[in-house]
Amino acid sequence: DAAVDVDLGQTVQFDRDAKFSISAWVRPDAIGALWCKMDDSTSFRGFDAMMYDGGRLAVHIVHSWNDNALKVISKPRVRLGQWNHVCVTYDGTSKAAGVKIYFDGKLVPQDVEVDALKGTIITPKPFRLGRRSTSLHLKGAMGDFNIYDRTLSADEVREMVDASISHAAKSPLAGGNAAPGLSDFFAANDPQGAALKAKLTKLRSDREQFNKDELSPSVMVMEELPTPRPTYLLKRGQYDAPDKSQELQPGVPPFLPPLPAGAPLNRLTLARWLIDPTNPLVARVEVNRLWQRFFGIGLVRTPDNFGMQGDPPSHPELLDWLATELVRTGWDVKAMQKLMVMSAAYRQSSATSAELEAKDPENRLLARGPRHRLSAESIRDNALAAGGLLSLKIGGPSVKPYQPNGLWEELAGGAGEGAYQRDSGENLHRRSLYTYRKRTVPHPTTSTFDAPSWEICTVKRSRTNTPLQALALLNDETYVEAARGLGRRMMVEAGGNEARSQIEDRIRYGFRLATGRAAQPREVARLAASYQRYLDTFRADSKSADALLSVGELKPDAKLDKAEQAAYATVAAILLNLDETITKE
């Protein structure tokens, strides 16, 4: 008996989020696999289409059989011993509903046996026609085989059948090897084809390597159960003491607008309810928190309580208008932030008179511009930026910058993660957004500047002013290295020689980088005098200069005098410790 057996190598590669369609004319004499790209050794990862049960077509799309996969089976059967046109389409949604089976151009009803695909289906196994890797050999013939990198519509499938029906039986691939594919043709005939094919092969190999279990990140997600579990009132809140006489149903507090009538009581309905234009609460809460970020205090001073026990808004009409603008612009947060920072209220000077300070100490009337200390993360990022060290790289895993040695072991015994392995290079200077945070052991420097511990949700941070903060800015490794970077910028970017005027120019340059304003003559004079004292000290004690310049991974500039580098770094540390540097005003 003739058997279909064609190996197409790596010419076909799809992942679970890719759209694709596969079609062929088949004349099966018995059951078997029509096509397959699957690895039996890794829980059948990959995808295939196979006939069994007298000709029913089963489509598998698998990460790990059978708890992480899709399986769809046609209800009708193909005609054994006759030509049939078979087409399978997939829309990349990782859902069984996204798989469609067509026989002779017509969509056929199907049964869903497995609908739980969450992982990659990438596999290095070749794409085969007529069999799996070691089993399910297809006896019969196959012709007019097509693969598409999109989801064909029902009309396209029907037209394909009409166009090919006249020659489908004339060109069967009844065994042997397939003719070279298009990629092989261009590789052999195009001067750039071989190089492009090699590059494509390398990229596919890299993607397959990344998608292996040990490298590909897995993300836990929540999914609705087909039949929700019953939920009961818990006696005194004890999870193991439900009162089964009082079953609870999903909903929202009765004093809020109700959920849409007839909508399923699930998280998607809740999400839609939250951003519904008729919901009066969510947009107000969001714009209030954005206002708090820029002005230091919200229009409603209690951002976590808009109820009867919370503070009323200082400007209710403004709060309402901002909320409606947020909804009108499609919840565009960037546009709302731009609107706030370009407002006349925000661009006012923060200077105030004693009379106004006495009447409105918290600036609730917005008679002056906001003035408040930066957040812990902003203080660090600002110092690194002034020192020319801040990495602007976007995305990637969390990083572990400088931290006191042994902190994790001392406070939490490592807590299953072992010793703190500090990063190096660019990762030391990534934005604070990317700093690895251990819930039970917060970073000590950020805690010094009132960053929360991450054990509870914090809507509004406290702001304190303690001597420990000044000590951190002067001695913490991050800020010492940032001061060294700022000192180097003062020397290199401001230029000049060591004449008195050039020293002052460098100080003016560093002052502007740190504070955002021009230094006054008396400020320049005092800093220049300080610089001269530090320079004399470091010239007399070269070991102190070496010790200062060894802090952090930033290497001293071999072209610059060490004593001068140390002296400018010390002046830069003063600049980074100024109230104006760490205060938004």
Side-chain angles (χ1 to χ4, degrees):
D1 290 338
V4 177
D5 188 355
V6 179
D7 188 332
L8 295 180
Q10 298 299 321
T11 56
V12 179
Q13 188 72 275
F14 296 115
D15 206 348
R16 70 182 180 93
D17 58 353
K19 298 179 180 181
F20 61 86
S21 303
I22 303 177
S23 70
W25 282 91
V26 295
R27 194 204 66 207
D29 296 330
I31 63 173
L34 301 186
W35 55 79
C36 175
K37 183 172 175 59
M38 186 173 283
D39 188 352
D40 297 0
S41 65
T42 57
S43 300
F44 301 93
R45 181 170 300 172
F47 60 93
D48 73 358
M50 53 170 285
M51 290 186 306
Y52 76 119
D53 188 21
R56 295 178 69 190
L57 185 67
V59 178
H60 301 87
I61 304 179
V62 180
H63 172 78
S64 176
W65 184 257
N66 62 352
D67 61 338
N68 194 339
L70 304 179
K71 182 178 180 180
V72 175
I73 307 173
S74 68
K75 290 185 176 181
R77 293 172 170 81
V78 298
R79 302 179 301 275
L80 298 180
Q82 301 180 44
W83 284 101
N84 307 261
H85 188 271
V86 174
C87 181
V88 174
T89 68
Y90 174 65
D91 65 3
T93 60
S94 301
K95 298 293 184 183
V99 180
K100 298 289 188 293
I101 300 174
Y102 296 82
F103 287 169
D104 297 328
K106 297 179 180 179
L107 180 65
V108 300
Q110 56 197 38
D111 294 321
V112 176
E113 285 198 1
V114 182
D115 189 5
L117 180 61
K118 302 179 183 65
T120 180
I121 64 171
I122 293 291
T123 173
K125 294 297 183 180
F127 186 91
R128 295 184 175 94
L129 299 180
R131 68 179 176 96
R132 280 187 170 177
S133 55
T134 59
S135 62
L136 293 174
H137 293 265
L138 178 67
K139 293 183 179 180
M142 181 182 294
D144 199 16
F145 178 79
N146 294 278
I147 301 177
Y148 304 84
D149 60 354
R150 58 190 177 88
T151 305
L152 295 178
S153 67
D155 289 341
E156 289 177 308
V157 176
R158 184 174 59 254
E159 291 171 3
M160 177 169 47
V161 174
D162 294 341
S164 62
I165 196 169
S166 62
H167 72 275
K170 299 179 182 179
S171 304
L173 290 174
N177 294 320
L182 286 177
S183 61
D184 296 323
F185 174 81
F186 285 113
N189 296 277
D190 191 323
Q192 297 181 346
L196 292 174
K197 184 177 180 181
K199 184 177 180 180
L200 180 61
T201 301
K202 175 65 167 56
L203 291 173
R204 285 173 172 165
S205 175
D206 291 345
R207 184 174 64 177
E208 291 168 5
Q209 183 67 22
F210 175 79
N211 280 294
K212 289 184 178 178
D213 279 347
E214 60 270 19
L215 294 178
S216 179
S218 297
V219 179
M220 296 181 66
V221 298
M222 300 182 72
E223 185 178 22
E224 303 289 346
L225 292 174
T227 302
R229 286 191 296 267
T231 301
Y232 303 102
L233 182 69
L234 303 180
K235 298 177 182 178
R236 301 183 63 84
Q238 293 181 237
Y239 71 91
D240 58 349
D243 182 357
K244 294 192 176 181
S245 67
Q246 299 189 58
E247 184 173 350
L248 305 180
Q249 299 298 326
V252 295
F255 60 83
L256 294 175
L259 295 172
L265 299 178
N266 54 27
R267 288 188 296 273
L268 181 58
T269 296
L270 177 62
R272 289 170 174 164
W273 173 84
L274 286 172
I275 61 172
D276 191 293
T278 62
N279 190 325
L281 182 62
V282 177
R284 285 184 173 91
V285 172
E286 175 63 13
V287 297
N288 188 65
R289 294 187 182 183
L290 293 174
W291 188 275
Q292 175 182 272
R293 180 180 303 171
F294 295 110
F295 287 84
I297 186 170
L299 294 170
V300 176
R301 187 165 46 184
T302 53
D304 56 344
N305 190 344
F306 270 55
M308 295 298 294
Q309 296 185 3
D311 276 19
S314 59
H315 299 71
E317 295 86 357
L318 175 59
L319 180 65
D320 287 350
W321 181 77
L322 290 172
T324 57
E325 277 297 285
L326 182 63
V327 174
R328 186 187 66 81
T329 58
W331 298 81
D332 190 334
V333 174
K334 286 187 177 181
M336 180 55 59
Q337 290 178 324
K338 181 179 179 181
L339 178 65
M340 290 181 179
V341 299
M342 294 185 68
S343 66
Y346 184 81
R347 291 186 291 169
Q348 296 178 102
S349 169
S350 61
T352 184
S353 64
E355 181 182 3
L356 182 58
E357 183 73 26
K359 287 183 177 180
D360 186 20
E362 293 186 343
N363 193 28
R364 301 295 287 152
L365 301 178
L366 303 177
R368 59 184 183 274
R371 186 182 191 278
H372 54 86
R373 202 203 65 218
L374 298 175
S375 66
E377 295 84 355
S378 297
I379 290 173
R380 176 180 176 273
D381 292 355
N382 185 56
L384 291 175
L389 302 177
L390 183 65
S391 167
L392 299 180
K393 178 182 175 182
I394 301 296
S398 299
V399 296
K400 296 179 178 178
Y402 300 112
Q403 177 174 287
N405 293 329
L407 182 66
W408 281 15
E409 296 87 336
E410 184 70 24
L411 296 181
E417 297 185 52
Y420 184 86
Q421 298 295 326
R422 193 195 78 187
D423 277 318
S424 60
E426 182 184 24
N427 284 345
L428 289 174
H429 308 130
R430 295 290 303 278
R431 290 184 298 161
S432 299
L433 170 69
Y434 299 107
T435 297
Y436 183 92
R437 289 175 170 88
K438 191 176 182 66
R439 181 171 56 86
T440 55
V441 188
H443 194 283
T445 304
T446 57
S447 297
T448 300
F449 288 98
D450 307 309
S453 68
W454 305 97
E455 294 182 275
I456 60 174
C457 178
T458 303
V459 178
K460 183 179 180 181
R461 296 186 183 185
S462 61
R463 290 192 181 93
T464 61
N465 188 359
T466 69
L468 191 57
Q469 294 169 355
L471 290 173
L473 291 175
L474 289 172
N475 297 285
D476 184 273
E477 193 166 6
T478 295
Y479 295 99
V480 174
E481 187 176 36
R484 291 182 52 217
L486 178 56
R488 177 183 295 185
R489 293 187 69 184
M490 293 162 65
M491 296 180 70
V492 175
E493 296 178 16
N497 52 42
E498 280 307 300
R500 180 74 181 182
S501 61
Q502 295 302 324
I503 295 174
E504 294 177 349
D505 285 345
R506 292 176 174 179
I507 289 174
R508 290 189 187 94
Y509 182 70
F511 194 97
R512 185 64 177 264
L513 288 174
T515 67
R517 71 166 176 86
Q520 298 177 5
R522 60 184 178 82
E523 294 170 327
V524 175
R526 293 186 66 179
L527 289 170
S530 297
Y531 165 77
Q532 194 60 54
R533 290 198 305 272
Y534 299 139
L535 181 61
D536 294 340
T537 299
F538 287 123
R539 288 202 189 282
D541 186 0
S542 60
K543 290 185 179 180
S544 294
D546 291 336
L548 175 59
L549 297 178
S550 66
V551 176
E553 286 195 356
L554 182 65
K555 302 298 182 185
D557 192 328
K559 298 178 182 178
L560 301 175
D561 182 81
K562 285 188 176 182
E564 293 172 7
Q565 291 185 68
Y568 276 113
T570 308
V571 171
I574 296 174
L575 296 176
L576 294 180
N577 202 12
L578 292 175
D579 180 69
E580 287 184 73
T581 304
I582 64 172
T583 302
K584 182 248 163 280
E585 57 182 334

